[in-house]
Amino acid sequence: MDIKSMKNYLYWLYCQFELITCSYLMEPWEKVLFYTFNVSMLVMVAYTAYIFFPVHISTAFQFCLHLFGSQHENTVSVVK
Amino acid sequence: MERPERAAAALGAQPRANGCSGAAHGGLRNGYVRGLPAPDTQINHIVHNGGLYKRPFNEAFEETPMLVAVLTYVGYGVLTLFGYLRDFMRQWKIEKCQNAIEREEQKDFVPLYQDFENFYTRNLYMRIRDTWNRPICSVPGAKVDMMERVSHDYNWTFTYTGRVIKGVINMGSYNYLGFAQNDGTCQQAAAKVLSRYGAGVCSSRQEMGNLDKHEELEKLVARFLGVESAMAYGMGFATNSMNIPALVGKGCLILSDELNHASLVLGARLSGAAIRIFKHNNMQSLEKLLKDAIVHGQPRTRRPWKKILILVEGIYSMEGSIVRLPEVIALKKKYKSYLYLDEAHSIGALGPTGRGVVEYFGLNPEDVDVMMGTFTKSFGAAGGYIGGKKELIDYLRTHSHSAVYATSLSPPVVEQIITSMKCIMGEDGTTFGRECVQQLAENTRYFRRRLKEMGFIIYGNEDSPVVPLMLYMPAKIGAFGREMLKRNIGVVVVGFPATPIIESRARFCLSAAHTKEMLDTALKEINEVGDLLQLKYSRHRLVPLLDRPFDETTYEETED
Ligand SMILES: Cc1ncc(COP(=O)(O)O)c(C=O)c1O
């Protein structure tokens, strides 16, 4: 039962997305193009995030450490 | 500001729906609770120049929510991008081009068919074209039958399946008083006249086309309006676009509301007069234009304007707003200009006895110089009229193009108007017409109140039978029309260029012919579709019309 309502909700969300982006009005091949473009953009964003996020997080973490006093030499070098 | 001295004091202290005094009206027909204020009483009772109004004037426009506006632009952005893509493909012959294009030998000429609206028609309108021009095959009363049609090439062409969709609730026709009928007294009278006079007149009023029926109609219209004299024309649109040029010309100034109907705009342009546009129903804007016109006169020569004509409508058909007539008349008197009032939608639909917006506000018809209206809406017929002083009408009879050059009204149509008008006036010996006017007012209040409660954004005055429901997003225009028809309800949806690009809407027109059950069915389905399409945008933040942003730039719009 729960799965079903979840499915309904997802379908509803998809409808809203279609209405807002006007893909509701598109011909099938246009839809394919539109969704391919969107999905590839999304994948690229996700991939970029996956590659770069850990690096940035660790940099930020070290920067925080540096700010709050406990100074290690390599932190300073990272901040520079 | 000067106050209009003469004003019928007919309206009691207790304002009722549409100014109807509830006397002579035993048990409410549809059992509505009348005059009950909406639960969230955030409606701003606008009392600017309150002394001029004898009744509350509740007119509010809710702001477009920011998020909705942004998403609407996103939608148009996507559609525009795909439009360019499709155009590109058409140009390179990847896709068959189905719209009008230049002939091969004229390819290098200045293009005849290319402009933005063309792009819009080709790439946006075509996607939802099935929502418009649906052929109906019955009388457009409270319910209609529609011909089913399908498109196999994405709306470029349609084919009919031969089936008929029966009993669609009609929320789109301008059948305010329910006189669009194929039976009843009007039909019988018209049939009798048809068998006596035939359908065509084959001549203009100036020549052999002046029937006794026309004279009778004009006398009746003048009496109905409370003016000295009136004249009827075969087409409402032409009444405006042909008579304005007869009244004003070069050296005159026209002050026109920004949302005026295309016929008024066309008439104003044809006249050759200078046109200045004031913000919709905004009296400060109008007064500023009037003041400037009088102080500065004509551009360059600085001579005074020969005439100043103010063009307004009674009910604006896209916004559902009612003109602030008491203020307009006060301004007109103060600055000694003329007033042209187009009552196309308000005649029959407003006022306790259906006399239109003048009666609604309890004003004197003599204060309006040119009273124009149409028979197409409340009377269920065709044609238009102009009413006013006898001199004005006599002048128009010889100077108006649509009197001299256009074929006169068809006799059965004239009879339909005469019978329905007499019915509204109660001269047929019944109270049917009056009940229709009251029923319309009740339906209007009920429908508007319920829609507001559901959380839709509704524009306009609470007494206006034209009810615009905001849709905003382009995909929702098509979706709303289709979903409603699926549920057996016919609605009119409107988008650019009839409205600003982001303010697409559905427009319901109420009718006295709608019963409570029909309205309830319609409301239930609207509610459902509203949930499905997420149309309940209202945050109950109402902006009174006067506080709408008023930038001063408009007034130099058409400096001649
Ligand atoms: C304000 C206004 N004036 C004139 C007309 C034209 O009337 P008709 O349809 O009779 O030509 C309309 C019609 O929609 C209208 O709304």
Side-chain angles (χ1 to χ4, degrees):
Chain A
M1 206 63 213
D2 222 7
I3 301 255
K4 195 160 171 230
S5 71
M6 190 68 192
K7 236 163 110 185
N8 274 346
Y9 178 67
L10 282 183
Y11 179 70
W12 180 84
L13 268 188
Y14 166 73
C15 284
Q16 296 310 312
F17 177 78
E18 281 216 313
L19 282 173
I20 287 170
T21 57
C22 293
S23 45
Y24 172 77
L25 302 175
M26 288 175 186
E27 292 171 26
W29 68 267
E30 284 175 312
K31 264 191 202 180
V32 171
L33 191 71
F34 183 67
Y35 279 101
T36 322
F37 178 77
N38 277 359
V39 169
S40 60
M41 280 312 258
L42 228 115
V43 167
M44 278 199 284
V45 167
Y47 182 69
T48 326
Y50 173 73
I51 296 291
F52 289 99
F53 235 53
V55 179
H56 281 282
I57 293 274
S58 74
T59 321
F61 182 65
Q62 303 228 344
F63 179 69
C64 286
L65 279 186
H66 169 71
L67 275 189
F68 296 121
S70 63
Q71 300 226 0
H72 295 282
E73 269 119 81
N74 55 349
T75 352
V76 180
S77 70
V78 167
V79 171
K80 264 188 214 162
Chain B
M1 204 178 284
E2 209 178 88
R3 296 166 108 253
E5 297 89 349
R6 274 174 301 175
L11 294 165
Q14 182 69 22
R16 287 307 192 87
N18 207 356
C20 296
S21 56
H25 190 70
L28 299 179
R29 259 168 68 187
N30 280 350
Y32 306 146
V33 187
R34 243 194 288 153
L36 202 73
D40 60 310
T41 327
Q42 277 205 331
I43 297 167
N44 302 282
H45 284 260
I46 305 161
V47 279
H48 295 265
N49 302 312
L52 292 176
Y53 291 90
K54 287 182 201 61
R55 46 184 296 110
F57 188 75
N58 295 337
E59 190 162 297
F61 290 81
E62 187 165 340
E63 229 174 326
T64 308
M66 188 51 134
L67 181 65
V68 175
V70 171
L71 292 179
T72 308
Y73 280 120
V74 169
Y76 276 111
V78 173
L79 280 181
T80 310
L81 281 181
F82 271 87
Y84 278 118
L85 175 71
R86 298 291 292 270
D87 272 2
F88 174 82
M89 286 170 53
R90 282 182 195 121
Q91 191 167 4
W92 292 97
K93 304 264 173 8
I94 305 172
E95 188 191 344
K96 185 165 165 269
C97 186
Q98 313 217 40
N99 52 287
I101 46 166
E102 262 56 66
R103 274 184 290 153
E104 199 54 49
E105 60 269 31
Q106 293 186 347
K107 271 277 181 279
D108 301 324
F109 286 26
V110 177
L112 190 56
Y113 304 117
Q114 309 302 319
D115 55 14
F116 173 69
E117 295 201 358
N118 213 300
F119 176 88
Y120 178 89
T121 319
R122 198 165 54 234
N123 296 308
L124 280 71
Y125 171 69
M126 266 304 161
R127 294 177 192 272
I128 47 177
R129 194 161 79 109
D130 57 314
T131 330
W132 287 277
N133 311 104
R134 282 192 183 125
I136 66 174
C137 49
S138 72
V139 63
K143 290 198 172 182
V144 293
D145 298 340
M146 268 183 202
M147 290 168 73
E148 194 182 66
R149 67 177 182 188
V150 289
S151 174
H152 297 295
D153 53 359
Y154 299 98
N155 291 348
W156 285 99
T157 59
F158 292 104
T159 49
Y160 297 100
T161 60
R163 277 191 292 274
V164 170
I165 313 172
K166 288 246 182 239
V168 177
I169 296 181
N170 180 1
M171 299 300 297
S173 295
Y174 303 130
N175 180 19
Y176 296 124
L177 295 181
F179 280 111
Q181 288 171 320
N182 53 3
D183 56 3
T185 48
C186 292
Q187 184 266 345
Q188 281 158 13
K192 210 178 282 168
V193 168
L194 178 67
S195 57
R196 180 154 164 232
Y197 291 85
V201 180
C202 304
S203 185
S204 67
R205 290 295 295 280
Q206 288 263 309
E207 293 151 13
M208 296 294 286
N210 194 17
L211 304 184
D212 55 349
K213 280 281 158 204
H214 293 134
E215 301 282 341
E216 184 189 344
L217 173 67
E218 287 173 355
K219 291 223 175 64
L220 184 70
V221 170
R223 204 145 49 78
F224 181 69
L225 296 174
V227 294
E228 285 179 12
S229 185
M231 169 153 203
Y233 302 87
M235 179 181 172
F237 193 98
T239 312
N240 276 336
S241 50
M242 295 290 98
N243 283 310
I244 297 172
L247 292 170
V248 289
K250 235 178 153 37
C252 302
L253 175 68
I254 288 176
L255 300 180
S256 173
D257 192 293
E258 62 177 344
L259 295 179
N260 271 345
H261 189 255
S263 56
L264 290 165
V265 174
L266 179 67
R269 290 193 183 147
L270 281 178
S271 72
I275 305 167
R276 289 182 186 160
I277 292 157
F278 60 92
K279 287 266 158 197
H280 176 53
N281 233 349
N282 188 320
M283 291 305 122
Q284 286 97 317
S285 176
L286 174 60
E287 175 155 27
K288 185 161 186 304
L289 288 189
L290 277 168
K291 215 181 266 174
D292 280 352
I294 291 192
V295 172
H296 298 303
Q298 301 189 32
R300 283 192 298 278
T301 60
R302 298 290 163 227
R303 283 196 209 119
W305 294 100
K306 285 190 200 152
K307 287 177 226 173
I308 300 177
L309 183 69
I310 304 172
L311 295 185
V312 289
E313 285 180 33
I315 293 182
Y316 290 85
S317 57
M318 284 299 157
E319 311 293 297
S321 48
I322 296 178
V323 64
R324 301 174 159 275
L325 196 60
E327 287 173 72
V328 175
I329 288 184
L331 280 179
K332 158 202 131 67
K333 284 185 179 165
K334 182 171 167 192
Y335 292 98
K336 310 239 176 333
S337 54
Y338 293 100
L339 176 60
Y340 185 108
L341 174 66
D342 180 342
E343 291 219 77
H345 290 267
S346 54
I347 193 73
L350 282 184
T353 58
R355 255 54 163 208
V357 68
V358 177
E359 188 193 32
Y360 175 77
F361 286 114
L363 300 167
N364 187 343
E366 277 177 25
D367 287 337
V368 181
D369 299 282
V370 188
M371 300 250 273
M372 180 271 166
T374 62
F375 304 123
T376 25
K377 278 104 195 171
S378 298
F379 304 103
Y385 64 78
I386 287 211
K389 289 247 175 309
K390 185 162 181 313
E391 301 85 71
L392 170 83
I393 302 301
D394 287 344
Y395 173 81
L396 284 181
R397 267 184 216 286
T398 44
H399 286 82
S400 152
H401 280 49
S402 57
V404 182
Y405 300 110
T407 304
S408 48
L409 274 162
S410 163
V413 172
V414 173
E415 188 59 28
Q416 161 85 18
I417 304 165
I418 292 177
T419 322
S420 54
M421 195 175 278
K422 280 191 175 157
C423 186
I424 298 170
M425 293 163 86
E427 292 188 1
D428 59 344
T430 66
T431 55
F432 177 73
R434 213 184 154 100
E435 275 165 24
C436 282
V437 175
Q438 299 221 348
Q439 186 67 53
L440 176 67
E442 276 166 23
N443 285 355
T444 301
R445 286 269 173 132
Y446 177 69
F447 196 75
R448 280 189 169 265
R449 180 167 59 81
R450 288 287 305 276
L451 283 183
K452 238 179 232 161
E453 279 167 17
M454 289 177 193
F456 293 105
I457 294 189
I458 302 294
Y459 271 8
N461 193 295
E462 64 175 359
D463 285 330
S464 138
V466 182
V467 186
L469 182 153
M470 303 309 288
L471 302 173
Y472 297 113
M473 292 166 205
K476 290 183 183 178
I477 306 175
F480 190 79
R482 290 173 197 165
E483 290 295 327
M484 291 306 282
L485 189 63
K486 244 189 244 170
R487 291 162 170 76
N488 238 22
I489 293 172
V491 296
V492 173
V493 283
V494 201
F496 180 80
T499 66
I501 196 141
I502 73 159
E503 293 185 10
S504 311
R505 61 197 69 175
R507 191 190 52 186
F508 305 107
C509 291
L510 292 162
S511 163
H514 289 136
T515 59
K516 175 118 187 323
E517 291 72 49
M518 285 184 207
L519 290 184
D520 280 339
T521 318
L523 284 164
K524 190 180 123 260
E525 305 294 3
I526 293 168
N527 193 13
E528 207 173 280
V529 176
D531 283 331
L532 184 70
L533 306 182
Q534 285 291 293
L535 294 175
K536 301 182 175 177
Y537 302 115
S538 179
R539 302 284 163 273
H540 300 288
R541 238 180 279 124
L542 300 180
V543 199
L545 197 58
L546 280 182
D547 298 348
R548 277 185 134 187
F550 165 46
D551 49 310
E552 322 221 330
T553 51
T554 44
Y555 102 96
E556 273 156 345
E557 197 114 293
T558 25
E559 198 85 359
D560 194 29

